[in-house]
């Protein structure tokens, strides 16, 4: 297990054809981290993009915060779960956050997370469904309805007690990240559920924290993705029963 004390926080951003949206996110993330008292790094995981995403990262101006690009060995699209896993296991920080390339939840939300780690939690996840959360721009009604129904089924079958499993803003201790992502089997949208199920199975403590969330009009999450997630929930439930995550 890596424990590089020189890097306190790693920020992992999975990106698939994000050449248009990524610059604003990168500027904000790097500017925020540059003025913090701790050391950090930013890892962009290019998930087989066919646009200029990787070139943009490679040509980014020098920053006080190290910025590096990671790609799948075959340079193909594998899915968000596979990309977050690749970034998490390549990271060196004592704490590891993944966030979305569209900046739907901004980096400064981690200020709400630190107190929970001081309380002994191993994994703190952003939630749009608990007191204090604010959804500034909503998804289309049919996506929100599908999400509410999906979350209910997810809670019943895989991770009871967690109000919002799917927000793309989750932060781990290094021990939790390495144990969980080494066991991850789902490479696409359902990976969030599996991450939480594995963490709970291994005895890590999980805390939800409220976030402000702004839906991007260019979101790549299609309505059918919620059905894919539900199908993968059954896979997680089966894996738990079979002891796959041991």
């Amino acid at each position: 297990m890596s424990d590089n004390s020189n890097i306190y926080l790693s920020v992992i951003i999975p990106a698939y054809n994000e050449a248009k949206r990524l610059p604003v996110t990168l500027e904000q993330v790097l500017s925020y981290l540059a003025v913090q008292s701790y050391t950090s790094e930013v890892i962009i995981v290019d998930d087989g993009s066919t646009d200029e995403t990787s070139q943009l990262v490679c040509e980014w101006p020098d920053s006080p915060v190290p910025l590096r690009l990671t790609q799948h060995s075959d340079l193909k699209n594998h899915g968000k779960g596979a990309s977050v896993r690749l970034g998490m296991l390549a990271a060196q920080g004592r704490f590891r956050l993944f966030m979305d390339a569209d900046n739907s939840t901004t980096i400064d939300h981690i200020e709400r997370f630190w107190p929970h780690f001081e309380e002994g939690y191993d994994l703190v996840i952003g939630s749009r469904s608990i007191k204090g959360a604010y959804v500034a721009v909503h998804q289309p009604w049919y996506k929100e309805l599908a999400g509410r129904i999906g979350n209910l089924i997810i809670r019943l079958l895989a991770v009871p007690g967690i109000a919002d499993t799917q927000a793309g803003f989750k932060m781990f201790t290094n021990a939790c990240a390495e144990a969980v992502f080494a066991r991850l089997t789902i490479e696409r949208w359902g990976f969030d559920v599996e991450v939480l199920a594995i963490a709970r199975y291994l005895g890590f403590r999980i805390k939800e924290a409220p976030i402000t969330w702004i839906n991007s009009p260019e979101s790549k999450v299609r309505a059918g993705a919620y059905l894919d997630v539900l199908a993968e929930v059954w896979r997680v439930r089966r894996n738990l029963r079979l002891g796959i995550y041991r």
Side-chain angles (χ1 to χ4, degrees), residues 20-157:
K20 291 183 179 180
R21 298 193 294 183
L22 188 58
V24 173
T25 302
L26 262 182
E27 286 175 6
Q28 186 177 93
V29 169
L30 291 170
S31 296
Y32 174 85
L33 293 174
V35 297
Q36 303 307 311
S37 60
Y38 50 80
T39 55
S40 57
E41 65 175 351
V42 176
I43 301 173
I44 306 298
V45 184
D46 181 12
D47 189 18
S49 297
T50 56
D51 67 356
E52 296 77 31
T53 295
S54 60
Q55 181 181 351
L56 182 152
V57 177
C58 291
E59 295 178 354
W60 196 264
D62 288 342
S63 164
V65 178
L67 170 65
R68 52 190 176 113
L69 174 72
T70 300
Q71 297 172 294
H72 301 290
S73 58
D74 59 7
L75 303 182
K76 294 181 180 179
N77 177 265
H78 286 253
K80 185 178 180 181
S83 298
V84 174
R85 177 181 63 203
L86 184 64
M88 283 285 174
L89 297 179
Q92 300 179 70
R94 290 174 58 189
F95 296 91
R96 303 175 191 183
L97 166 79
F98 79 80
M99 61 180 291
D100 290 334
D102 63 7
N103 211 27
S104 53
T105 297
T106 53
I107 183 71
D108 56 318
H109 281 76
I110 62 172
E111 293 171 16
R112 305 180 185 182
F113 285 23
W114 294 121
H116 299 306
F117 286 111
E118 292 173 3
E119 294 166 358
Y121 288 95
D122 306 288
L123 167 53
V124 183
I125 66 173
S127 177
R128 300 161 292 187
S129 303
I130 62 174
K131 185 178 180 181
Y134 177 61
V135 178
V137 177
H138 287 261
Q139 301 179 85
W141 69 267
Y142 54 88
K143 283 190 177 182
E144 290 207 343
L145 178 61
R148 285 196 293 269
I149 295 172
N151 266 333
L152 176 61
I153 297 173
I154 288 167
R155 289 198 297 271
L156 288 172
L157 298 180

